[in-house]
Amino acid sequence: MSETVCATIFDSLDPAGGFAGLREALAAPVAEVCKAEKGHARRTAAVELFRSALAEGRERARAGLEARGAGLACARLISQLQDELIGAIYDYVVNFVYPADNPTFAERLTIVAVGGYGRGMLAPGSDIDLLFLLPYKQTPWGESVVEAILYILWDLRQKVGHATRSVAECMKQSRADMTIRTTLLEARFLLGSAELFNELQDAFDREVARSDASEFVAAKLAERDARVRRAGASRYLVEPNVKEGKGGLRDLNTLFWISKYVYRVRDPKELVAAGLFTSAELSLFERCEEFLWRVRCHLHFATGRAEERVSFDVQPMMATRLGYHDRAGLSRVERFMKHYFLVAKEVGDLTAIVCAALEERQAKPRAIFDRFLQPFRRRRSKGPQGDFIIAHDRISVTDASVFQRDPVNIIRLFWMADHHGLPLHPDALRAVTLSLREIDYELRHDKEANRLFLEILLSRNMTEIILRRMNETGVLGRFVPDFGRIVAMMQFNMYHHYTVDEHLLRAVGGLSDLEAGRLLEHQQLVGEILPTIVNRKVLYLGLFLHDIAKGRKDDHSIAGMDVARQLCPRLGFTPGETETVAWLVEHHLTMSTFAQSRDLSDRVTIESFAAIVQTIERLKMLFVLTVCDINAVGPGVLDAWKSQLLRVLYWETEVVLGGGHSSVDRKSRVAAAIADLRAALPDWSEEQFDAYARRHYPAYWLKVDVDRKVRHAHMLEKLTGAETPLATAVELDRTRGAVELTVIAPDHRRLLSIIAGGCAASGANIVDAHIFTTVDGLALDTIFFSRAFDFDEDELRRARRIADFIAKALRGEVIVSDAVKARARQTPANAAFSVAPEVVVDNSLSNVYTVIEVSGLDREGLLFDLTNAMSKLNLNIASAHIVTFGERAVDTFYVTDLTGAKILSQQRSTAIKRQLLEVLDPAPDKRTARTATLAAT
């Protein structure tokens, strides 16, 4: 009944006015309900009527959003719905619940919208912030009315933030609390005494807002910095927070709060008259605001909650709702997210404009980011001359026409900033963005401009900072058009944390930091090799270009070679240098793949890699490039294990390329590793340690770091003399945000399968595995699985339960396969990603073993299913190399048959592929569409 009534009411409203008049239209049905019902039944019927009105209004707002796609219109409509509904609830309370025939002056109640609601815009899941404003102090009648209104709003399941204060109390608290001051800055009258609301605004302007604006500005910018740190310090995180993230709605809010406070404006359009924005910049502000509100409203409606993070699982749905389509090598998701990141970049541009204007008025402390540049600054006896000046300790331009007079000045400006170790003045950056048309074919091929750009790239001073400024102003994408194609481009996977352009800038910045000794955690890894590289400009440009062809139909490594061959001559590279850069781009993934997916103790692995690299100079450059590439993927991705694998592959390959000679030969490295462990175990006797050292093969000494070796030594020593040696241990690996589980047990064919099954049955998703065997037949397996809890104590308890379950399984006390099946029925599939399954059976990668390479969509229990299938196929796993790249699992197994021979039968190889593909892609409807290759390689 309520739904029908509400639909009729909404149909009667003037569409041009949105929901205006709803309050009055609800008055008659509310009065009718109150006349027909008494007591609790009356309240229940009234609340049901309000609930139906809220649902109908929201549904119409959703329909309008989906039909017209206007985010701001949707947000304003929902806010208007809330205004009308609160008015109707107020009328119901004062007329039928707590009527007051002749309220006194002290009983005047004013309801004010504050905070985000005060701006007149609400997302579907937004909180509602209300101020109940009183003339003096609360009266019993006023308290009852406020309480009744709040209870009805809560019954409607609305999230309400509220306060009841007098004008004097508002002034007192806003002076002491910046958050309250900000909420009052956007106060909006809803209903009650307009005179009392005007009194609030006059008092705020007189007593608070006319005080020193610099305090408010500094507090808001500090608040922004803290918020951005919580949400993710880069605006290019691939799962951005549309409200709180860098470049999100809260940044736009902060700009307007500050502008409103300093310039005393009440509408963004007034910022042009105030001289803060040009009309073009105001249009940009409005476009950014519209896009972000559209995303936020769709996100709330699509998820059915106040979800602010555009996570991987909602990105495909959001792209479809917003009307994006697959095109030109980019999926609809990647096109949507590229648009998102471009908007976030533009919000950053607007932030710089406002900060510059505030500094001119001295309303903002100078250059908050200056502190980050301090380590790079150098004393110069001679400052910029000619077209450039130093203003407020920053590089600026003498006038706005310097770039039209000489377009090379655009590149020279950034070179100057790096050369003098000074930040760029926002006015200069603004002038650059207005002069981007000057960057044309002629400038791109200007010898001096290219020389300056190359010096910026090779600088040991502020390389990453300057390149990022060039990118944010649009200069880098114009000067290197292929770079412009990947600006704000995301990769729809869980492995990369940043957009492609941000990844490249971080990679180059990492190399610069390594050269300058600023990246201490990885200094030891490349410290000896990096200074010996002869041609550093080849390395820098190879790193800068390694992912530049992402998003094209062709393989980005191959397409990137063509980009390198076009750009290098422009920058003055010789043909030989150009080919080396192209080779680095082509093979930038090769070393990582070999290190993580091959058995480095197998001679064929090293010889195959050496055949690709060919020279020691290329080996050095590819090693450093690989380190910088992995490190720039995201925090903690380059962990101790990957570092050690890369180091082993480097030294082993150097021996082959050097004709058996290396700066450190294999035997010496093993001896050094043993000596390191000996130093870490001072309490052990010589006899005890020598006996222990003989238990490990060289591969163990070369691959495992000292801390883990110490833990392993204590575990193995405790098992000495045990009839059935079995031990487990758990540690938290905080570097990679994972749990480390070590299992020592007698080695047998199904051991890895049982361990993987124990993890799967316990809901632990394996992300890596280190598999070793001792000389005396014990398996020493370390499994890494994803965390499930934020608190370490909770995670350790979970890990110990998993370890205990695996121990029981190894003792035969539980049947792993039954537990895995039970768990599988409870586990939803990962629907956000699709990875084509592939199985390759290769006999050329080892002289002793058949190598099976498996790749597909990662899931709980995948390693158990693969190893269990291999066990049923009568395969013996000699070594396993388990790697995950976000949602993609890439596992390599070195196997033999039960007699220890390779798998040479074509028929058997085909059967292995078929069975493993069934494991990777078990759904019947997917089997018919499978495209994975079955041909032998």
Side-chain angles (χ1 to χ4, degrees):
M1 180 64 182
S2 296
E3 290 84 351
T4 306
V5 170
C6 285
T8 303
I9 289 172
F10 277 90
D11 287 340
S12 70
L13 300 177
D14 180 5
F19 295 143
L22 178 62
R23 175 183 178 183
E24 290 78 9
L26 283 170
V30 169
E32 192 176 319
V33 162
C34 292
K35 186 176 179 181
E37 304 288 351
K38 299 295 180 186
H40 184 69
R42 183 171 72 176
R43 183 185 186 279
T44 302
V47 169
E48 189 57 39
L49 185 63
F50 295 138
R51 181 178 287 112
S52 298
L54 180 62
E56 180 70 20
R58 282 175 176 271
E59 189 53 42
R60 292 183 182 228
R62 177 207 282 262
L65 176 69
E66 292 174 353
R68 293 179 289 278
L72 280 169
C74 178
R76 290 181 180 125
L77 197 60
I78 293 173
S79 176
Q80 187 185 35
L81 172 67
Q82 199 66 52
D83 293 352
E84 297 290 323
L85 191 62
I86 288 172
I89 293 170
Y90 173 82
D91 292 341
Y92 161 71
V93 170
V94 299
N95 290 323
F96 299 103
V97 183
Y98 298 109
D101 295 331
N102 188 24
T104 65
F105 177 76
E107 289 176 330
R108 288 187 306 167
L109 179 66
T110 300
I111 302 181
V112 179
V114 293
Y117 183 30
R119 288 191 297 277
M121 290 182 284
L122 285 176
S126 292
D127 296 355
I128 300 153
D129 296 321
L130 295 174
L131 169 64
F132 295 96
L133 191 61
L134 307 170
Y136 303 117
K137 61 181 181 179
Q138 183 66 283
T139 65
W141 178 84
E143 187 175 352
S144 298
V145 169
V146 169
E147 188 177 87
I149 292 171
L150 289 173
Y151 272 116
I152 292 174
L153 290 172
W154 289 330
D155 286 345
L156 297 178
R157 297 189 176 180
Q158 297 206 281
K159 294 172 286 184
V160 185
H162 64 94
T164 305
R165 300 188 182 108
S166 67
V167 172
E169 288 170 334
C170 288
M171 294 306 101
K172 180 180 178 181
Q173 296 203 26
S174 65
R175 280 192 291 266
D177 189 314
M178 284 294 174
T179 302
I180 294 174
R181 192 182 302 189
T182 307
T183 61
L184 289 179
L185 188 64
E186 298 195 293
R188 181 171 60 89
F189 176 72
L190 287 183
L191 56 87
S193 171
E195 182 185 345
L196 188 59
F197 176 73
N198 290 335
E199 185 183 325
L200 171 71
Q201 285 204 310
D202 290 343
F204 184 79
D205 286 346
R206 184 177 61 252
E207 299 178 26
V208 179
R210 287 182 183 172
S211 61
D212 184 13
S214 61
E215 179 191 11
F216 180 80
V217 172
K220 287 292 109 182
L221 292 176
E223 185 182 284
R224 175 186 180 269
D225 288 346
R227 169 174 49 79
V228 165
R229 278 195 298 272
R230 289 194 301 272
S234 172
R235 65 174 59 95
Y236 304 112
L237 286 170
V238 292
E239 290 186 294
N241 187 308
V242 68
K243 179 184 176 185
E244 303 287 351
K246 192 171 185 179
L249 274 169
R250 187 65 82 206
D251 275 2
L252 285 180
N253 296 155
T254 301
L255 292 186
F256 188 54
W257 290 334
I258 291 172
S259 304
K260 195 171 185 179
Y261 200 94
V262 174
Y263 290 89
R264 312 307 303 139
V265 297
R266 298 202 178 275
D267 187 276
K269 289 183 173 59
E270 297 174 36
L271 294 174
V272 175
L276 181 63
F277 285 159
T278 64
S279 57
E281 289 160 352
L282 176 64
S283 297
L284 178 61
F285 182 98
E286 291 171 339
R287 286 199 305 274
C288 292
E289 189 177 33
E290 166 58 38
F291 176 80
L292 292 171
W293 269 109
R294 186 160 69 247
V295 170
R296 191 180 183 207
C297 288
H298 271 293
L299 189 58
H300 283 205
F301 276 131
T303 59
R305 61 181 184 274
E307 178 60 69
E308 308 295 357
R309 193 168 66 102
V310 190
S311 57
F312 285 125
D313 56 336
V314 302
Q315 285 174 12
M317 173 176 58
M318 289 291 294
T320 301
R321 289 176 69 100
L322 290 161
Y324 293 87
H325 302 283
D326 297 349
R327 197 173 296 166
L330 291 179
S331 69
R332 69 184 192 281
V333 178
E334 290 165 338
R335 292 186 68 236
F336 158 53
M337 294 307 296
K338 178 167 185 172
H339 189 182
Y340 182 96
F341 292 122
L342 287 172
V343 168
K345 172 187 168 296
E346 287 169 340
V347 172
D349 295 342
L350 292 169
T351 304
I353 290 167
V354 171
C355 288
L358 292 174
E359 284 176 19
E360 289 298 319
R361 292 175 62 104
Q362 297 184 331
K364 168 185 173 287
R366 268 218 344 256
I368 284 180
F369 57 81
D370 279 6
R371 63 179 180 272
F372 298 118
L373 304 181
Q374 202 61 43
F376 305 103
R377 291 205 171 143
R378 293 172 288 177
R379 291 188 177 273
R380 296 262 171 197
S381 56
K382 197 173 178 183
Q385 295 178 342
D387 292 326
F388 302 98
I389 58 171
I390 294 180
H392 302 297
D393 283 339
R394 303 193 203 174
I395 301 289
S396 192
V397 291
T398 54
D399 59 80
S401 64
V402 295
F403 304 127
Q404 285 73 35
R405 288 200 302 271
D406 183 2
V408 176
N409 277 336
I410 295 175
I411 309 300
R412 191 174 286 119
L413 171 72
F414 294 96
W415 180 88
M416 282 277 187
D418 178 76
H419 185 67
H420 292 281
L422 291 172
L424 288 156
H425 196 283
D427 285 350
L429 293 173
R430 195 177 192 178
V432 165
T433 60
L434 297 173
S435 306
L436 291 177
R437 291 181 182 175
E438 304 298 327
I439 306 175
D440 54 13
Y441 178 88
E442 188 176 338
L443 179 64
R444 282 192 287 270
H445 289 80
D446 183 274
K447 189 173 286 189
E448 175 65 6
N450 282 287
R451 182 190 69 79
L452 292 170
F453 173 72
L454 191 60
E455 285 197 18
I456 292 170
L457 183 66
L458 300 179
S459 168
R460 290 182 171 90
N461 192 19
M462 294 161 53
T463 307
E464 183 180 354
I465 293 171
I466 296 301
L467 288 175
R468 183 169 286 109
R469 293 288 177 269
M470 293 179 75
N471 189 32
E472 289 172 347
T473 53
V475 170
L476 191 53
R478 290 246 183 176
F479 192 68
V480 184
D482 288 291
F483 190 91
R485 293 179 63 173
I486 51 93
V487 168
M489 179 187 290
M490 73 158 287
Q491 301 160 81
F492 187 56
N493 60 57
M494 294 170 64
Y495 179 59
H496 289 91
H497 294 222
Y498 306 106
T499 55
V500 181
D501 57 327
E502 179 69 5
H503 167 70
L504 291 179
L505 297 183
R506 284 172 179 261
V508 171
L511 177 55
S512 178
D513 288 343
L514 282 170
E515 275 202 304
R518 294 188 292 262
L519 201 61
L520 299 179
E521 62 267 36
H522 302 304
Q523 212 67 43
Q524 186 179 358
L525 183 60
V526 300
E528 296 177 5
I529 297 167
L530 189 54
T532 67
I533 291 175
V534 175
N535 199 333
R536 58 190 291 270
K537 74 177 184 180
V538 168
L539 173 59
Y540 267 91
L541 193 61
L543 186 59
F544 177 71
L545 298 179
H546 76 271
D547 275 347
I548 202 162
K550 281 279 180 79
R552 307 190 190 193
K553 292 180 180 179
D554 300 329
D555 182 298
H556 77 282
S557 299
I558 304 301
M561 294 173 65
D562 295 333
V563 174
R565 288 178 176 135
Q566 292 170 16
L567 181 63
C568 287
R570 207 186 97 187
L571 294 172
F573 282 51
T574 66
E577 290 170 336
T578 298
E579 282 309 303
T580 304
V581 172
W583 181 88
L584 285 171
V585 173
E586 179 188 11
H587 291 286
H588 72 270
L589 295 173
T590 302
M591 192 167 194
S592 174
T593 301
F594 269 79
Q596 297 183 70
S597 302
R598 296 282 188 272
D599 184 351
L600 301 184
S601 61
D602 193 312
R603 183 72 178 174
V604 175
T605 297
I606 306 303
E607 289 176 347
S608 299
F609 181 66
I612 295 170
V613 176
Q614 297 183 347
T615 71
I616 289 179
E617 182 68 11
R618 280 187 172 185
L619 175 64
K620 291 176 182 177
M621 288 193 285
L622 187 59
F623 174 69
V624 175
L625 183 147
T626 304
V627 168
C628 294
D629 183 15
I630 297 175
N631 186 55
V633 167
V637 176
L638 182 61
D639 54 23
W641 173 251
K642 291 190 186 79
S643 298
Q644 191 68 10
L645 291 178
L646 290 170
R647 189 184 285 113
V648 169
L649 179 57
Y650 176 87
W651 290 123
E652 294 289 335
T653 308
E654 189 187 51
V655 172
V656 174
L657 294 175
H661 302 287
S662 171
S663 55
V664 183
D665 63 41
R666 182 185 179 92
K667 188 179 290 186
S668 298
R669 284 185 285 120
V670 171
I674 293 173
D676 288 342
L677 180 61
R678 181 71 187 95
L681 297 171
D683 298 336
W684 286 34
S685 67
E686 290 297 329
E687 182 181 357
Q688 180 187 17
F689 182 82
D690 289 344
Y692 174 77
R694 288 193 292 270
R695 298 177 71 177
H696 292 293
Y697 292 104
Y700 175 83
W701 294 110
L702 293 175
K703 291 180 180 178
V704 181
D705 60 90
V706 174
D707 291 340
R708 287 192 174 91
K709 285 173 186 162
V710 170
R711 294 201 295 271
H712 295 165
H714 289 307
M715 289 178 71
L716 283 163
E717 190 64 16
K718 287 179 182 177
L719 293 175
T720 302
E723 287 186 25
T724 54
L726 175 61
T728 62
V730 294
E731 296 279 342
L732 296 181
D733 187 337
R734 292 178 177 83
T735 303
R736 66 200 309 188
V739 182
E740 179 180 336
L741 166 65
T742 302
V743 179
I744 298 176
D747 194 21
H748 60 83
R749 187 164 57 90
R750 297 197 69 247
L751 177 65
L752 180 58
S753 181
I754 292 172
I755 295 173
C759 291
S762 305
N765 185 43
I766 296 174
V767 296
D768 202 351
H770 307 167
I771 311 299
F772 296 101
T773 307
T774 64
V775 172
D776 50 348
L778 288 180
L780 175 53
D781 295 350
T782 302
I783 306 294
F784 295 83
F785 54 83
S786 302
R787 289 183 65 133
F789 297 102
D790 292 330
F791 293 105
D792 290 350
E793 297 80 5
D794 295 335
E795 193 58 60
L796 284 170
R797 276 194 294 272
R798 169 180 176 251
R800 291 186 189 105
R801 284 198 301 271
I802 295 170
D804 291 343
F805 182 87
I806 290 172
K808 288 178 181 177
L810 291 172
R811 289 193 293 265
E813 298 172 12
V814 293
I815 300 174
V816 170
S817 56
D818 292 346
V820 172
K821 287 176 185 174
R823 171 74 187 180
R825 287 193 290 269
Q826 308 167 17
T827 307
N830 187 348
F833 297 96
S834 175
V835 178
E838 186 174 7
V839 177
V840 175
V841 179
D842 197 324
N843 281 303
S844 68
L845 300 177
S846 173
N847 291 329
V848 180
Y849 303 105
T850 293
V851 178
I852 301 177
E853 295 181 331
V854 175
S855 65
L857 184 64
D858 191 26
R859 56 176 164 82
E860 279 185 15
L862 177 61
L863 184 57
F864 167 73
D865 291 341
L866 290 170
T867 53
N868 194 42
M870 290 183 189
S871 179
K872 291 177 180 178
L873 288 164
N874 294 321
L875 297 176
N876 185 44
I877 300 173
S879 70
H881 307 269
I882 312 302
V883 187
T884 55
F885 299 99
E887 76 285 355
R888 184 184 185 89
V890 182
D891 301 341
T892 306
F893 303 91
Y894 283 65
V895 304
T896 64
D897 62 18
L898 297 183
T899 67
K902 281 187 171 186
I903 312 302
L904 298 175
S905 163
Q906 181 62 45
Q907 185 177 359
R908 193 167 182 204
S909 292
T910 302
I912 290 169
K913 290 178 183 178
R914 185 171 57 249
Q915 290 296 315
L916 295 182
L917 282 169
E918 290 293 332
V919 170
L920 290 167
D921 192 8
D925 59 327
K926 291 182 182 177
R927 290 176 194 158
T928 57
R930 180 176 293 131
T931 58
T933 180
L934 291 174
T937 57

